Amino acid sequence: MAMAVQGFEEEALAFGVAEYVNQTNLHPLALASLLVLCLLTLVLPRRFALIPSLVLVCFVPSAQRVVIFGLDFNLLRIIAAVGCLRIFIRQEFDRSRWRAPDTVFIGWAVASFF
């Protein structure tokens, strides 16, 4: 019985993964909303800059993605990259200071990479 259940789980996982891996799946409405939300991320005041990301998370399915040279970019990653671009363009990183939790996080990320 356990073999049948495990086989079913593997088949279900393969079914869900096979639909989205290495395929660009982007609806025109999702592309339009991504462009508008990226523009809003760049032009809104700092206190409202996170709202476009929240709108994207709530209303655009995570299956919407762009594949470039085998790299999967779901729309959340794209808008996060635009947010980082905003930080560097507007030089908004000057208000932050390096603290102990930053060191712990970077150490954890490096340790889990290896």
Side-chain angles (χ1 to χ4, degrees):
M1 183 70 175
M3 293 293 281
V5 171
Q6 185 170 357
F8 175 75
E9 290 173 0
E10 290 174 3
E11 184 178 313
L13 286 175
F15 175 74
V17 171
E19 288 186 28
Y20 303 119
V21 173
N22 290 329
Q23 292 184 24
T24 295
N25 184 20
L26 190 59
H27 192 274
L29 187 58
L31 177 62
S33 64
L34 176 69
L35 294 175
V36 168
L37 293 172
C38 285
L39 180 68
L40 288 174
T41 300
L42 291 174
V43 300
L44 284 175
R46 185 175 182 180
R47 63 182 173 176
F48 299 125
L50 193 59
I51 292 175
S53 298
L54 295 174
V55 169
L56 182 86
V57 168
C58 291
F59 295 112
V60 178
S62 62
Q64 300 294 314
R65 62 186 65 233
V66 177
V67 178
I68 302 172
F69 299 118
L71 299 173
D72 262 343
F73 296 102
N74 62 13
L75 300 188
L76 184 59
R77 288 182 181 170
I78 294 171
I79 204 164
V82 170
C84 291
L85 181 68
R86 172 199 166 99
I87 290 171
F88 288 113
I89 287 174
R90 292 186 171 201
Q91 297 179 349
E92 293 177 341
F93 55 85
D94 60 345
R95 296 181 188 170
S96 61
R97 291 186 223 139
W98 192 266
R99 300 185 190 261
D102 301 323
T103 305
V104 170
F105 177 76
I106 295 298
W108 170 79
V110 169
S112 60
F113 180 74
F114 296 112

